[in-house]
Amino acid sequence: MSVLPPGSTIGILGGGQLGRMLAMAAARLGLKCHIYSDTSGPAFDVAAKSTVGAYEDLAAVRRFAEGVDVVTYEFENVPCETARAAEAVTPVRPGVKALEVAQDRLVEKQFIAALGIPVAPFADIDSDASLASAAATLGLPAILKTRRLGYDGKGQVRLASTTGLTTARSEIHGAPAILEGMVGFEIEISVLVVRGIDGEMCFYDVPHNTHAHGILDTSSVPAPISACARARAEEMAGRIAAALGYVGVLAVEMFYCGETAPEPLIINEIAPRVHNSGHWTTDACAVSQFENHIRAVAGWPLGATTRHSDAVMTNLIGADVEAWQRLAAEPAAGLHLYGKHEPRPGRKMGHITRLKTKSQG
Ligand code: AMP
């Protein structure tokens, strides 16, 4: 088991805000980061070194990997071939397996279900006939989701009645898909689990997540769920992390359906990386999700996930960021701006975490 001493370099595939916050956390521990991304992004401003290169340019990826001590990634759509090319040269943490599972909704659902963990009812859709028969079996309403490259509600069609069936597949350009039965949930939560190189795991408090226009709007801790539900959610997330042989922070998004539901917790999806619903940890915890991801991939002991305050993290999307002066003047709030120039609609520009005195254990 290799522990990277301070001064070592962590390679990060992806140059967005998650890479930026990872690089900032690494710097706190005396570790350097080298960012590799197909476009210059927010992480480039804060990293010791940055490279712009195509993810498909495997020779360039190998050169990048040769110059770093470990490679990690900050988005789940890193091509598996890219991660494999890096892995031939230096350790990649979390591994390629987590990417393979998270990139394909069908594989992801099958993987989680095979662990005996509840997921929404689903069917593989590759033709109009398979859609019609899945709609009859699962019932409507249901959601058609592309297997690959869907995020923030993109690549999804909600089917309320059979009249939508004829056009649904053309709306996703006939891409391979799954049909998912609707889950009647009370709230959405996520578990942020950190798994160390030795298999040790720790968990952050579970946030309650709300969405607006398909994009995460707020994450609040503590979520209004019982200690028993929280323990069960952690156990499920931990089982997934262990089955993936995971190293780093894994986010497991779940539907909470209420204590008396037949299945109180149903997994929606996993994100093999630090996650937007864990941004509050920077301001409300002893050690943030970003630092713990870095600690894990560098082979260090994991840091305390203890939460010292209640917190509500609100994303600043598009023009929200124009209120930065007012937001910066708020007491008891941590403001985080990603340094993006154009506040386009739907673009994550920053976030603010408002802290309150801790209400419960
Ligand atoms: P996803 O991209 O799969 O996370 O879906 C985006 C959002 O759609 C989720 O955060 C939920 O609010 C909602 N959603 C997705 N799948 C389902 C489902 N099977 N049942 C009910 N709501 C869902």
Side-chain angles (χ1 to χ4, degrees), residues 186-240:
E186 282 185 6
I187 58 170
E188 292 183 74
I189 61 169
S190 49
V191 177
L192 303 152
V193 50
V194 198
R195 190 164 183 272
I197 207 163
D198 56 359
E200 179 199 354
M201 282 195 272
C202 55
F203 300 85
Y204 286 97
D205 266 356
V206 170
H208 167 201
N209 304 320
T210 65
H211 298 83
H213 314 292
I215 302 174
L216 184 71
D217 181 23
T218 64
S219 290
S220 311
V221 276
I225 61 171
S226 67
C228 171
R230 183 184 153 187
R232 191 181 156 120
E234 287 183 0
E235 189 279 323
M236 286 157 65
R239 208 150 16 116
I240 294 170

Side-chain angles (χ1 to χ4, degrees), residues 60-109:
V61 169
R62 271 192 293 275
R63 278 197 301 280
F64 157 74
E66 275 158 12
V68 301
D69 299 294
V70 66
V71 169
T72 189
Y73 42 84
E74 59 106 58
F75 72 113
E76 61 270 37
N77 287 319
V78 169
C80 290
E81 279 309 301
T82 306
R84 277 192 208 99
E87 198 177 41
V89 179
T90 197
V92 174
R93 300 180 185 135
V96 180
K97 170 119 178 148
L99 289 176
E100 284 170 347
V101 170
Q103 283 177 2
D104 184 326
R105 287 187 193 275
L106 179 63
V107 175
E108 180 181 50
K109 287 256 182 320

Side-chain angles (χ1 to χ4, degrees), residues 253-271:
E253 297 180 35
M254 303 185 190
F255 300 120
Y256 173 67
C257 305
E259 298 295 317
T260 54
E263 291 294 355
L265 291 161
I266 293 175
I267 306 285
N268 177 20
E269 61 184 356
I270 63 170

Side-chain angles (χ1 to χ4, degrees), residues 105 143 145 156 158 180-181 183 185 188 255 268-269:
R105 287 187 193 275
I143 311 182
K145 300 182 177 181
Q156 298 190 6
R158 290 190 178 227
E180 241 184 75
V183 175
F185 61 84
E188 292 183 74
F255 300 120
N268 177 20
E269 61 184 356

